[in-house]
Amino acid sequence: MKVLVPVKRVLDYNVKPRVKADGTGVDLANVKMSMNPFDEIAVEEAIRLKDKGVTEIVVVSIGEQKSQETLRTALAMGADRAILVVSETKVEPLGVAKILAKIVEEENPDMVILGKQAIDDDNNQTGQMLAGLLNWGQGTFASKVEIADGSVNVTREVDGGAETDTLKLPAIITTDLRLNEPRYASLPNIMKAKSKPMAQKTPADFGVDVTPRLTTLKVVEPAKRSAGIKVADVDALVGKLKEMGVAK
Amino acid sequence: MKTLVWVEHDGQAVKDATLSTVTAASQLGEVHLLVAGQGVDGVAAEAAKIAGVGKVHVADDAAFAHALAENVAPLIVELMGHHDAFVAPSTTHGKNIAPRVAALLDVMQISDILSVESEDTFTRPIYAGNAIATVQSSDAKKVITVRGTAFAKAVTEGGSGEIEVVASTGDKGLSTFAGSEIAKNERPELTSAKIIVSGGRALASSDQFHSLIDPLADKLGAGVGASRAAVDAGYAPNDYQVGQTGKIVAPEVYVAVGISGAIQHLAGMKDSKVIIAINKDEDAPIFQVADIGLVGDLFKIVPELTEKL
């Protein structure tokens, strides 16, 4: 069984984003970048499924040349080979899904595992779009994945609790936070990852038009909250709650 | 513009998230609704009464009973033949269905909008709400999900939508619903609660979480939330989680107990009208957004506060 795992290079989740003064976007010059946390969970899940019938894990990233660092991280975690699709301009989820659909055609995986959302654009679209383009089942926000005969049972985090769906294979899965705890790559594995194969492509190789459909007109900082006050004790807090009409 | 709004319901009643979505859709033009499910006559009748609603399309079929995206998306795509925009709430169901619809229509979705600037221009949060982007869509048809807390709820009375039955597009056979575990919760639903009391890792155990947070919430008639740390540690169930990866809330009053205030948590609650923080670390980032802060030991403060209310 072959699994495809798309990964994205994003601003590290611990870094506080700074909006550029000219309002064109978020400043990404000289800041720490990492693999999108949900994608780490996707890579980890694919590796864990290796004991349960998964034989090959192919990781893909679409973005600037530096995304190869993100792919090397995935290879060091345990993926077998990588495909880098280089685009120095931003590719939207629809474009990413179209490229991934072409890669799926070539590679014929049984499953594609993606993160549920990237923490930069917060779109939460790519997995569902890919499932739509391929006409495959989709198990989004997965907190548990169990491969059965010709199908996969996916427990999903939904508002109010959890839901389990059975999907016919091949299928798309998107990972939620609680699916697993991703491993750290060990130094020997990081060294080994350097010699694992990485193919390099461009969107044009797949004949996919990735012209953006959305134009960002401006990016601003959210409204700042005005400074609050500190109260000395519980009585003062109760007083404030009464003032607000929250307490009687 | 004719907009089609996907009505989220539980088979019995229209969910609140739908009402905010109707408000957002009405800023684009004529609002039509889609009620898909099994045995949904009651829901359709309720939906038709929402103020400002034109047509209510009703698709009644077992294939739509659990809102599986594989079955619902083709139905929506068919209805989009005579609509200009599809709008769904940014709930887990909305987020599951809408992008599949967008891909089938070959358009880019605009996720989680905060405002409608014009027919093709919207604002939306990026980077966990640390930046607000204004985006313009060049697609002929729009697919949009709506952040419920950013729009007022439409009035549930006075409407006279015309109910129209639509043919089912059937079961696509890609997926089946196997079961669900919905947490029983007598308290107000988080995303619509006026007051929320949220606990963090500092509660230190599930027992202490429930013995301290629950009585305070009950006194205030509040919903109960939690930080990711508290959920990961098993102190509270997953669906309590407030933050970038959990629920986005904007109640009148948000009480953060033993929550440090990581950016991922703030993303889920910083639009609350009044934020109250109780934390023993006076340098905790939560105090930078809190309107009222109390520095001290929550194990002393919370019982005393509950007692005095």
Side-chain angles (χ1 to χ4, degrees):
Chain A
M1 186 181 248
K2 192 198 265 189
V3 177
L4 190 73
V5 184
V7 295
K8 186 178 185 185
R9 182 176 187 264
V10 299
L11 179 66
D12 188 86
Y13 75 99
N14 278 314
V15 177
K16 184 159 168 57
R18 303 242 169 258
V19 173
K20 285 193 220 167
D22 63 1
T24 54
V26 164
D27 197 353
L28 296 179
N30 304 314
V31 289
K32 189 182 175 203
M33 305 290 279
S34 313
M35 191 191 302
N36 180 43
F38 292 101
D39 303 349
E40 284 186 347
I41 295 170
V43 174
E44 176 67 33
E45 193 62 19
I47 297 165
R48 291 189 187 188
L49 291 172
K50 269 201 161 175
D51 311 334
K52 292 166 191 144
V54 169
T55 47
E56 191 185 21
I57 300 167
V58 182
V59 285
V60 185
S61 195
I62 300 165
E64 53 182 339
Q65 192 72 42
K66 282 182 181 157
S67 300
Q68 62 174 282
E69 294 165 12
T70 311
L71 288 170
R72 289 288 171 211
T73 306
L75 294 171
M77 285 173 75
D80 298 296
R81 61 187 171 88
I83 302 169
L84 172 63
V85 182
V86 181
S87 169
E88 295 299 331
T89 56
K90 209 177 116 161
V91 185
E92 293 171 339
L94 182 65
V96 170
K98 285 181 176 177
I99 294 170
L100 292 175
K102 293 283 184 191
I103 294 176
V104 165
E105 242 170 62
E106 284 177 10
E107 296 280 344
N108 276 314
D110 301 278
M111 251 190 319
V112 184
I113 310 180
L114 309 88
K116 77 163 177 183
Q117 77 191 66
I119 59 164
D120 50 1
D121 289 335
D122 284 334
N123 274 315
N124 197 329
Q125 298 175 2
T126 307
Q128 296 91 314
M129 285 182 159
L130 180 60
L133 295 176
L134 296 170
N135 194 31
W136 288 9
Q138 63 187 55
T140 50
F141 325 134
S143 59
K144 195 171 165 194
V145 176
E146 284 174 329
I147 298 175
D149 191 23
S151 66
V152 57
N153 294 318
V154 185
T155 301
R156 307 171 47 229
E157 294 203 358
V158 295
D159 295 329
E163 171 179 321
T164 304
D165 296 335
T166 303
L167 310 175
K168 205 172 86 182
L169 287 174
I172 303 291
I173 288 164
T174 77
T175 63
D176 215 318
L177 274 175
R178 268 165 287 275
L179 182 58
N180 61 48
E181 185 93 25
R183 71 193 63 193
Y184 289 101
S186 66
L187 188 59
N189 285 342
I190 292 171
M191 299 310 291
K192 249 188 263 170
K194 291 189 174 165
S195 55
K196 287 186 179 175
M198 187 183 299
Q200 189 155 329
K201 306 262 190 180
T202 66
D205 292 339
F206 300 102
V208 172
D209 177 9
V210 293
T211 312
R213 308 290 185 85
L214 302 181
T215 313
T216 300
L217 302 179
K218 66 175 178 199
V219 175
V220 296
E221 277 191 33
K224 286 245 184 328
R225 295 187 72 95
S226 51
I229 53 152
K230 284 210 174 109
V231 292
D233 53 26
V234 172
D235 289 322
L237 179 55
V238 172
K240 286 280 173 196
L241 288 169
K242 283 184 178 161
E243 243 172 67
M244 289 189 289
V246 172
K248 280 168 213 131
Chain B
M1 263 182 121
K2 264 196 220 166
T3 68
L4 181 69
V5 171
W6 179 70
V7 173
E8 179 151 12
H9 62 84
D10 56 7
Q12 314 293 324
V14 174
K15 292 235 178 185
D16 272 1
T18 307
L19 302 174
S20 330
T21 308
V22 166
T23 303
S26 67
Q27 294 175 15
L28 287 167
E30 195 181 328
V31 179
H32 293 184
L33 303 182
L34 168 63
V35 177
Q38 190 177 20
V40 287
D41 287 352
V43 178
E46 191 189 331
K49 288 189 196 128
I50 299 172
V53 164
K55 238 173 235 160
V56 179
H57 300 278
V58 182
D60 204 319
D61 190 328
F64 306 135
H66 299 287
L68 292 170
E70 296 84 347
N71 293 343
V72 175
L75 172 72
I76 295 164
V77 168
E78 201 143 294
L79 288 167
M80 285 304 288
H82 39 93
H83 288 91
D84 307 299
F86 173 68
V87 189
S90 266
T91 54
T92 45
H93 279 311
K95 287 193 267 197
N96 188 39
I97 293 168
R100 192 169 178 115
V101 172
L104 294 174
L105 294 171
D106 191 27
V107 305
M108 232 325 264
Q109 174 179 302
I110 307 123
S111 293
D112 215 17
I113 62 162
L114 300 172
S115 73
V116 176
E117 301 295 304
S118 73
E119 271 190 5
D120 63 2
T121 307
F122 310 88
T123 64
R124 60 176 303 266
I126 53 175
Y127 290 90
N130 282 290
I132 310 295
T134 305
V135 294
Q136 185 171 35
S137 164
S138 61
D139 284 316
K141 290 190 194 282
K142 314 284 185 265
V143 173
I144 297 162
T145 60
V146 172
R147 175 169 292 196
T149 57
F151 293 88
K153 292 190 188 86
V155 179
T156 54
E157 280 159 41
S160 52
E162 179 198 336
I163 292 177
E164 188 177 305
V165 174
V166 293
S168 170
T169 41
D171 191 334
K172 301 298 169 192
L174 297 169
S175 59
T176 47
F177 173 83
S180 67
E181 272 177 59
I182 299 301
K184 285 211 172 63
N185 200 343
E186 302 293 312
R187 297 196 177 81
E189 212 176 300
L190 264 189
T191 46
S192 56
K194 287 208 161 57
I195 304 171
I196 292 173
V197 179
S198 242
R201 181 160 38 196
L203 271 306
S205 76
S206 172
D207 284 351
Q208 293 183 118
F209 188 98
H210 293 292
S211 65
L212 288 169
I213 299 294
D214 292 1
L216 176 58
D218 290 340
K219 271 276 171 74
L220 293 167
V224 175
S227 69
R228 183 187 162 193
V231 171
D232 281 351
Y235 306 162
N238 297 350
D239 62 302
Y240 278 38
Q241 189 185 320
V242 171
Q244 184 184 20
T245 57
K247 293 196 169 70
I248 312 285
V249 300
E252 307 273 325
V253 181
Y254 187 89
V255 187
V257 179
I259 292 176
S260 64
I263 55 175
Q264 290 82 3
H265 185 76
L266 300 183
M269 46 63 81
K270 68 185 166 63
D271 293 325
S272 305
K273 288 227 171 60
V274 176
I275 297 171
I276 298 173
I278 298 170
N279 204 301
K280 68 173 183 219
D281 173 12
E282 63 179 314
D283 296 322
I286 191 78
F287 287 119
Q288 290 164 22
V289 300
D291 300 280
I292 303 171
L294 178 52
V295 179
D297 180 3
L298 69 92
F299 294 103
K300 288 202 188 92
I301 291 171
V302 175
E304 190 186 340
L305 179 60
T306 307
E307 158 97 41
K308 285 181 173 164
L309 282 171

